[in-house]
Amino acid sequence: MLLIETLSPDKLGILAYTSSALLAFGAYLVYAAFSPSTKGSIRKLGGFPVLTAWSFFTKRYDFLWSNFAKSADPHFRFQVLQHQVVALRGEEARQVFFDTKSLDFTEGYKILMGASPSLDDIDVKTKFANEGVSFFNKQLAILFTNKRRLSDSKVGYSIHDWFLISLPLLFDDVNRRMVMWGKEGRMDPFKDIYDLVFQMTTRMASCDELSKDLDAISEIQKLYWMLEKSATPTALLLPWFPSRAKKNKEIATKELFMKLKGFVDMRREAKVPSSDAIDILIGQGQSTPEIVQFILSVVFAGVINTGINSCWALVFMSSHPEWKVKAKAEVDAMIEKHTNTTSGDPLHKRLSAVPVSVWEEEMPVMELIIRETLRLVMSTAALRRNILEDLTVSKGVIKPGDFVAYSVADAHRNPNIYRQPDEFDPDRFSPGREEDKKATFAFLGWGAGRHPCTGMKVAKLEIKLILAMMLAGYDFDIVDKAGKAPKEIPQPDRNDIHQVRPIFFLFRFSF
Ligand code: HEM
Ligand SMILES: *[C@@H]1O[C@H](CO)[C@@H](O)[C@H](O)[C@H]1NC(C)=O
């Protein structure tokens, strides 16, 4: 849901279904009805707003940075149809952006992002409609406070904050997927690792019955990607326009709702309550739509970000073998120290015996690798909407109703903060260098200020489990489509972090 970026060519392909002439005309009518007014002292982009809006949705990174490059100003203003958007850069802007109460998070993402499903769209009422991310945070907090009640009673279960994760069950899921990969071959991490993340996310956010049901998961996954692809510029810019994307979004949201509702109903009828997320929320008296919306929100907040960063961490380690060696040594030492070395258990059983506290606190190399991966991969724009009063930032006035965009690359790719910012160099965060401490909110991989990522701990744990399985279990190397070592180190596409040049792993099971 959160930093999901702009639109890939296949999403744009959906536009072929709509008539572009009609689209431009409709857009022009909207534009004409809300012609621009001079506001504040912020530089305003010229040009035809429909085109501006178009590139904001299709090539957001290039759009923002090419326009910053045209002036020394820390901000500029442009129009997305009837909406005013202010783009900011610089340390002062960053501080105001992340710390100011009147810059609303939920409103910011609602219109300008829009892939994540809202049951409101299909006329199912939930508290999400009014409270947005704060209701979601409350649900996460409920799962968090349930931790203690359960952790004493179940021997052999490692209960994690928030989600009552049973590591053995999670690792059984992981193992099932790995058995499907086979002992050696070629994998597409941006498919196979994503599938794994989807499986793990479902396990944490729903219930055992769903997590075990591979057919149900794969159907839900299909609907999820249908929603992802339905966030086309047309659907976002012209929500009233009856495009294919709009229709798909509605269908997918309805079907997702029905499928997940089936599992919530099943849990409501169960005689013995479990410690799964659905049961805990039922126990708190939450309605079925609220629980369904919760699962959808976790999936949308979690899958893309966790998937992308797990994949890129593996790719970066492959292209920087010294880090792969260091990380593997850390995992091997952990297995040696915290599991039964004479047991002959398979890898996933061994790993599931490691306490959560060890995963969280005793993996410094992995921490560095994950942090550096996030720095390089998260270069997208965070969004807010000013819902209260005039707000002055770097001498420019942001009006009530204005949207605000802050490109995280302003910090993450800033050579005054990070030396050689495009290099993968996890040691930049180590004691002695600590480049991320050089400026306010210089590291934004997990957000900052008023809206730090509520899922950070759980997401980090997920990434570590995946990296550990890969490092301890397999020899793997990146290859291109032709099966050869790539000529240059692959980099994320900053306009669209979904978009990857074909990257594969050649792997061989070696535990
Ligand atoms: C690697 C995985 C993840 C990354 C890199 C990530 C990153 C972020 C970032 C950068 C923000 C701040 C966005 C902004 O300020 O505009 C954020 C917020 C948030 N994230 Fe995550 N996230 C991840 C996984 C998750 C997961 C798994 C969940 C849910 C279980 C989650 C739930 C949230 C929520 C609820 C917020 C909003 C917090 C608030 O407004 O109070 N995230 N995340
Ligand atoms: C380790 O595994 C072996 C073989 O299954 C078993 O005999 C032994 O008791 C185990 N040790 C511990 C400390 O659990």
Side-chain angles (χ1 to χ4, degrees):
M1 130 181 151
L2 300 155
L3 284 178
I4 298 166
E5 254 315 89
T6 49
L7 303 143
S8 54
D10 57 334
K11 286 177 197 164
L12 291 172
I14 295 170
L15 286 171
Y17 294 108
T18 62
S19 149
S20 51
L22 188 60
L23 167 72
F25 180 65
Y28 180 74
L29 290 184
V30 178
Y31 162 58
F34 297 87
S35 52
S37 60
T38 350
K39 279 191 186 177
S41 51
I42 294 179
R43 175 172 66 105
K44 184 161 188 162
L45 299 187
F48 192 55
V50 173
L51 296 181
T52 311
W54 201 260
S55 45
F56 177 72
F57 283 103
T58 53
K59 280 196 173 290
R60 189 167 294 174
Y61 184 90
D62 292 349
F63 168 77
L64 292 172
W65 288 100
S66 65
N67 281 303
F68 275 131
K70 288 176 190 155
S71 142
D73 289 359
H75 33 49
F76 62 86
R77 169 186 288 285
F78 59 98
Q79 217 171 323
V80 173
L81 300 174
Q82 72 271 39
H83 304 298
Q84 291 280 325
V85 186
V86 176
L88 298 173
R89 67 172 161 186
E91 192 172 18
E92 180 187 337
R94 182 158 70 238
Q95 198 154 4
V96 171
F97 183 94
F98 287 100
D99 265 344
T100 306
K101 183 159 183 209
S102 67
L103 293 182
D104 192 84
F105 181 96
T106 309
E107 288 295 318
Y109 285 103
K110 209 188 257 169
I111 296 177
L112 300 184
M113 202 60 91
S116 56
S118 164
L119 297 184
D120 214 35
D121 295 343
I122 54 167
D123 291 325
V124 175
K125 296 291 163 221
T126 65
K127 294 210 172 94
F128 281 85
N130 309 323
E131 296 179 36
V133 76
S134 69
F135 187 72
F136 183 35
N137 280 332
K138 274 182 216 156
Q139 290 178 308
L140 290 166
I142 288 170
L143 299 184
F144 173 66
T145 49
N146 254 277
K147 169 179 123 182
R148 204 141 298 132
R149 185 168 65 78
L150 282 145
S151 56
D152 308 326
S153 58
K154 291 239 169 101
V155 184
Y157 275 51
S158 312
I159 306 277
H160 185 260
D161 296 11
W162 289 322
F163 295 88
L164 306 161
I165 303 169
S166 144
L167 282 184
L169 287 179
L170 207 50
F171 269 112
D172 282 346
D173 290 346
V174 172
N175 184 56
R176 205 159 354 123
R177 299 274 159 172
M178 290 187 166
V179 168
M180 285 156 67
W181 299 350
K183 291 272 179 204
E184 64 185 306
R186 195 171 83 158
M187 73 154 92
D188 173 357
F190 290 88
K191 156 137 201 356
D192 295 317
I193 301 283
Y194 271 37
D195 287 353
L196 193 58
V197 168
F198 204 91
Q199 166 80 60
M200 295 168 92
T201 307
T202 311
R203 165 72 62 193
M204 294 184 295
S206 64
C207 62
D208 190 46
E209 288 84 347
L210 171 54
S211 321
K212 281 193 309 217
D213 186 341
L214 290 190
D215 291 338
I217 291 188
S218 95
E219 277 178 50
I220 288 172
Q221 213 171 339
K222 242 183 258 153
L223 293 168
Y224 166 78
W225 288 111
M226 191 164 149
L227 275 175
E228 275 291 334
K229 287 179 191 212
S230 69
T232 62
T234 337
L236 293 170
L237 290 170
L238 308 171
W240 45 267
F241 186 80
S243 62
R244 166 72 60 109
K246 180 181 159 81
K247 203 155 180 218
N248 281 348
K249 179 168 185 178
E250 215 176 281
I251 294 170
T253 306
K254 272 197 185 124
E255 283 191 30
L256 273 173
F257 177 66
M258 290 315 293
K259 286 229 149 51
L260 293 171
K261 181 178 178 301
F263 285 95
V264 178
D265 289 345
M266 183 194 294
R267 290 311 312 161
R268 270 191 205 285
E269 282 152 25
K271 301 223 161 53
V272 187
S274 75
S275 59
D276 294 338
I278 290 182
D279 281 48
I280 306 243
L281 297 175
I282 290 174
Q284 293 290 316
Q286 297 209 350
S287 72
T288 298
E290 278 153 13
I291 298 172
V292 170
Q293 179 77 66
F294 171 78
I295 301 168
L296 292 176
S297 299
V298 174
V299 167
F300 270 80
V303 169
I304 290 268
N305 279 326
T306 311
I308 282 175
N309 286 294
S310 303
C311 287
W312 279 107
L314 292 167
V315 171
F316 288 139
M317 277 193 277
S318 282
S319 51
H320 298 78
E322 70 280 14
W323 282 99
K324 192 156 96 181
V325 169
K326 270 194 224 182
K328 184 171 165 51
E330 182 173 87
V331 175
D332 289 345
M334 175 188 82
I335 293 174
E336 195 70 24
K337 185 168 169 201
H338 295 283
T339 75
N340 184 345
T341 47
T342 57
S343 73
D345 277 345
L347 176 62
H348 71 285
K349 289 260 184 272
R350 292 277 290 280
L351 286 173
S352 68
V354 178
V356 170
S357 61
V358 173
W359 288 105
E360 288 189 333
E361 287 150 36
E362 296 177 31
M363 316 233 34
V365 176
M366 262 200 205
E367 287 283 338
L368 290 177
I369 289 171
I370 293 171
R371 203 168 174 80
E372 180 67 339
T373 301
L374 260 62
R375 187 188 66 81
L376 283 166
V377 171
M378 311 295 274
S379 52
T380 53
L383 300 169
R384 300 287 186 267
R385 190 173 200 182
N386 184 8
I387 54 166
L388 284 178
E389 61 219 355
D390 279 8
L391 177 69
T392 305
V393 187
S394 311
K395 302 204 179 79
V397 177
I398 298 171
K399 296 276 183 194
D402 285 355
F403 286 89
V404 189
Y406 176 76
S407 172
V408 168
D410 179 50
H412 286 186
R413 298 187 79 200
N414 188 333
N416 298 323
I417 301 175
Y418 296 107
R419 195 176 75 199
Q420 294 186 308
D422 290 342
E423 293 295 311
F424 177 80
D425 177 8
D427 259 338
R428 63 172 83 248
F429 299 113
S430 296
R433 283 177 69 190
E434 297 186 323
E435 297 179 351
D436 52 331
K437 306 265 164 71
K438 277 195 209 157
T440 313
F441 299 155
F443 179 77
L444 293 163
W446 302 107
R450 301 181 56 82
H451 296 278
C453 177
T454 332
M456 177 183 78
K457 268 183 141 181
V458 89
K460 252 204 238 178
L461 181 69
E462 251 182 289
I463 298 174
K464 285 177 182 170
L465 301 188
I466 292 169
L467 302 191
M469 274 304 271
M470 288 297 293
L471 288 163
Y474 300 89
D475 293 326
F476 62 94
D477 274 304
I478 51 175
V479 289
D480 59 19
K481 230 180 190 158
K484 303 226 168 66
K487 283 195 198 72
E488 44 192 307
I489 295 170
Q491 296 287 338
D493 178 342
R494 309 207 174 274
N495 283 308
D496 180 1
I497 52 175
H498 295 193
Q499 197 56 32
V500 270
R501 267 192 294 149
I503 301 171
F504 300 94
F505 290 138
L506 282 183
F507 69 94
R508 192 169 56 80
F509 191 71
S510 66
F511 182 70

